[in-house]
Amino acid sequence: MSFSSDVKAEIMSITMKNICCRKAMLMGIVSSKGWHDGGNVVITLENDVQSEYCAKLIQEHYGRCAAIRRPARGGRCREVLFDSKSCSSYIERILSGGELFDERCPGCSSAFVRGVFFASGRVSNPEKQYMIELSPSLLLYRHKELLLDFGIELKTSSRNRVEYLYAKKSAVIEDFFAYAGLNNTMFAFMNEKIKGEIRNNANRVSNCEMNNIDKAVTASHRQISVIEELDRAGLLSSLPEELEKTARLRLLHRDLSLSQLSAISVPPISKSGLSHRLAKIMELASQLITFDKKS
């Protein structure tokens, strides 16, 4: 099952005690994917399970037994077909500018939003990306305005000349599902966002550490190369005593880090102090080698 299918399964699992909420959800479905076919109302849905769920709502509110059929044009979708003057009047009314649904209680608007998503929505798996899309066949801009009234701002785009509403920001998607009362889905998005932030932070730290290691290794190789050149030229003894000891210690323990090297120095020295000595060796080595070549 896709993540969208899981969300729609959550929608079907919600028990709506108030008749007005169940009606509001059916209005969300009809206003998104309902249309006239002769004297019948047809609702296009994704599969048999969703169609059967919708048929139960139709039976309750319109007193009609809906038929479920395959579209004549083919495809995986299903069409829920029924005859209802009341539903036909509702479609004609909203097309003429009437209200999309009647809000009788605080839960009606959430139920309506669930209906819109149930019929026309899809959402990507938050483990891969953040994306929600709504593609109501009717009144796309009316749905957009209504969702904006609920504090949910979706953008408009088109694909294959079909317009749809969408959002790519996780916060907007979370707000959508929170408003729709789909808490499991909302928390799934929040958890994935948190895990993603943790992974990104860990990657940044790891990359930073790797960069520091690379820099330290490069610096160590350069130091050893210069000290070896001094040694071959017999110039190590030309360094001040403390610097000569540090140079010979660096040659003797080539694989140790600065922290490890500073700890075995006699007497012990801080990491910054050791780094300063090595930098001084590099500076003097350039002068000594240049002088030696001239001589």
Side-chain angles (χ1 to χ4, degrees), residues 55-75:
K56 291 179 182 178
L57 293 176
I58 291 168
Q59 176 66 45
E60 177 181 7
H61 292 289
Y62 295 121
R64 294 289 188 271
C65 291
I68 300 172
R69 69 184 185 187
R70 292 178 180 273
R73 63 182 181 278

Side-chain angles (χ1 to χ4, degrees), residues 111-134:
F112 179 85
V113 173
R114 286 199 297 274
V116 173
F117 184 85
F118 183 82
S120 69
R122 62 176 295 274
V123 62
S124 62
N125 189 326
E127 293 181 5
K128 299 177 180 178
Q129 68 171 142
Y130 302 138
M131 169 71 88
I132 187 172
E133 292 182 5
L134 300 175

Side-chain angles (χ1 to χ4, degrees), residues 54-121:
C54 182
K56 291 179 182 178
L57 293 176
I58 291 168
Q59 176 66 45
E60 177 181 7
H61 292 289
Y62 295 121
R64 294 289 188 271
C65 291
I68 300 172
R69 69 184 185 187
R70 292 178 180 273
R73 63 182 181 278
R76 293 179 296 176
C77 292
R78 296 292 183 269
E79 292 179 345
V80 182
L81 177 74
F82 63 103
D83 177 13
S84 169
K85 290 182 179 179
S86 178
C87 189
S88 294
S89 297
Y90 165 72
I91 293 175
E92 291 170 2
R93 187 168 66 251
I94 62 174
L95 289 174
S96 300
E99 295 295 328
L100 293 177
F101 74 105
D102 298 324
E103 187 170 359
R104 300 293 180 87
C105 79
C108 286
S109 56
S110 294
F112 179 85
V113 173
R114 286 199 297 274
V116 173
F117 184 85
F118 183 82
S120 69

